[in-house]
Amino acid sequence: MKVEEKRAREDRAPESESLVVARPPLAVRIGPFSAAVERRGAVAAVVLAAVAAVLAFVGLCRGDAWDAPGEVIAALAGHGDAAFVVQEWRLPRVTAALAFGAALGAAGAVFQNLTRNPLGSPDVIGLDAGAYTGALVALTVLSGTSVQLAAGSVAGGLAAAVVVYLLSLGSGLGGLRLVVIGIAVNAMLTALNSWIVLRAELEVAMAAVGWSAGSLNGIGWEDLRLPLAILAALAVLLAALARPMHQVAVGDDLAVTSGVRLSGYRPLVVLAGVGCTATVTAVAGPVVFIALAAPQIGRRLAGAAGVPLLPAALTGAVLLLVADLTAQTVLAPVALPVGAVTTVVGGGYLLWLLVREVRR
């Protein structure tokens, strides 16, 4: 019996040792595959950027009536009768769709990488609703300036993120438990937002209800200066965090061994993700489901194992441009809130994703 056990241990020993030393050669073998993935991601980013540029130009042609491309090009140069309309009305709206869609896509990528869950996006786990709560408080309690709206949105989003994190500590940042807790927090914050609107003055309540749908209608350059500056700063921060973000997506242990300081990384990346979501919410209201769908679509286009930031941001810009063009066209000349379109399309996507995750 002892001889058989000794032979069994000797038989298992080489197998266990081979498992331990197999990881470095594996990294070497996947080198060409990794390079192919990077090339595919670069191609996907270029294609998405080209599609976004085409859609942006189509958005500049779209108004109460369609203008010819030549007239729009002349208007951008400051010539022709349509110069004021194109530069002061349509261009800010298209710029907002590009910047806000990219910000929401990047925010979704941040939280889906952080939670390692495709359902871990700001609009599902309550961060959008928390940012909207902060904006409502700034509107109803304070004077509602652009700075107060931005600060209130960030504070509300961060508070929602802290609550969801504390309630899901038992399972860490991943798993279905965090998503379920986030959905519950989202429902409670939505009820709180409705109560705040009902208690507000009539003018404020009417503005808040229209704003809650998420809309790009009436956005001008004066509404975009501060948000674009904030989003530019957050984009620089996210670019600096892109490499450690992908390392953490593989696993905390591997990230630590490669030099990532999780104690300093996580607060920064959460702040960047909440900042992107809150900045968009402060200007356009909660535009839902872009942050949920864009990262997964971008990941599939890039063929990446994790959720890369650039394809997610570009996909978000494309999705929001398409949704805004649809909102302007469906009931023309009446322009729908863009959030109504993203809700219709994103609701079906969310149901499909929930069913798939529950089955898994």
Side-chain angles (χ1 to χ4, degrees):
M1 186 68 180
K2 292 182 179 180
V3 174
E4 292 178 356
E5 290 177 356
K6 182 178 180 182
R7 288 178 178 176
R9 284 196 299 269
E10 290 175 352
D11 291 338
R12 286 195 300 267
E15 180 182 358
S16 61
E17 289 173 1
S18 65
L19 289 175
V20 172
V21 300
R23 289 181 181 175
L26 180 62
V28 174
R29 285 198 300 270
I30 68 173
F33 175 75
S34 178
V37 169
E38 290 180 0
R39 285 196 298 270
R40 179 174 170 179
V43 171
V46 171
V47 172
L48 286 169
V51 172
V54 171
L55 290 172
F57 187 75
V58 173
L60 292 176
C61 297
R62 180 70 177 96
D64 293 336
W66 289 94
D67 291 336
E71 295 179 359
V72 172
I73 294 174
L76 289 174
H79 306 298
D81 297 334
F84 179 81
V85 173
V86 171
Q87 292 184 5
E88 299 298 326
W89 292 355
R90 297 180 191 173
L91 188 56
R93 182 174 188 140
V94 169
T95 302
L98 281 170
F100 292 172
L104 292 174
V110 164
F111 286 102
Q112 289 181 16
N113 273 318
L114 194 64
T115 61
R116 304 187 192 105
N117 193 316
L119 290 171
S121 71
D123 38 13
V124 174
I125 62 176
L127 304 190
D128 272 11
Y132 183 48
T133 303
L136 283 179
V137 171
L139 274 175
T140 55
V141 178
L142 305 175
S143 56
T145 64
S146 58
V147 176
Q148 291 172 350
L149 285 174
S153 297
V154 172
L158 284 175
V162 170
V163 170
V164 172
Y165 173 72
L166 292 178
L167 291 176
S168 60
L169 275 179
S171 61
L173 287 176
L176 192 60
R177 176 178 175 178
L178 180 142
V179 175
V180 173
I181 290 173
I183 292 173
V185 171
N186 191 10
M188 290 186 289
L189 287 173
T190 301
L192 175 61
N193 294 340
S194 299
W195 180 82
I196 293 174
V197 170
L198 289 173
R199 299 288 296 177
E201 297 180 359
L202 181 60
E203 294 81 4
V204 176
M206 291 176 62
V209 168
W211 187 35
S212 65
S215 177
L216 300 178
N217 298 335
I219 287 183
W221 290 120
E222 65 278 1
D223 303 313
L224 292 179
R225 292 187 181 94
L226 180 61
L228 290 180
I230 294 173
L231 291 178
L234 292 174
V236 173
L237 177 59
L238 285 175
L241 294 173
R243 185 173 178 272
M245 185 182 304
H246 296 314
Q247 291 172 329
V248 173
V250 176
D252 289 350
D253 295 337
L254 291 177
V256 170
T257 57
S258 61
V260 178
R261 295 179 56 188
L262 295 178
S263 59
Y265 158 79
R266 283 198 173 117
L268 282 177
V269 76
V270 168
L271 179 62
V274 171
C276 288
T277 302
T279 302
V280 175
T281 303
V283 181
V287 182
V288 295
F289 293 122
I290 297 293
L292 174 69
Q296 293 301 310
I297 296 174
R299 181 181 70 84
R300 285 167 171 79
L301 291 176
V307 185
L309 275 175
L310 185 58
L314 292 173
T315 303
V318 169
L319 290 179
L320 193 54
L321 281 168
V322 171
D324 190 44
L325 285 171
T326 304
Q328 295 181 70
T329 306
V330 171
L331 296 179
V334 176
L336 291 173
V338 69
V341 178
T342 60
T343 300
V344 171
V345 177
Y349 175 80
L350 176 60
L351 287 175
W352 171 79
L353 198 58
L354 280 170
V355 170
R356 194 189 72 168
E357 287 300 307
V358 169
R359 286 177 178 175
R360 288 176 59 185

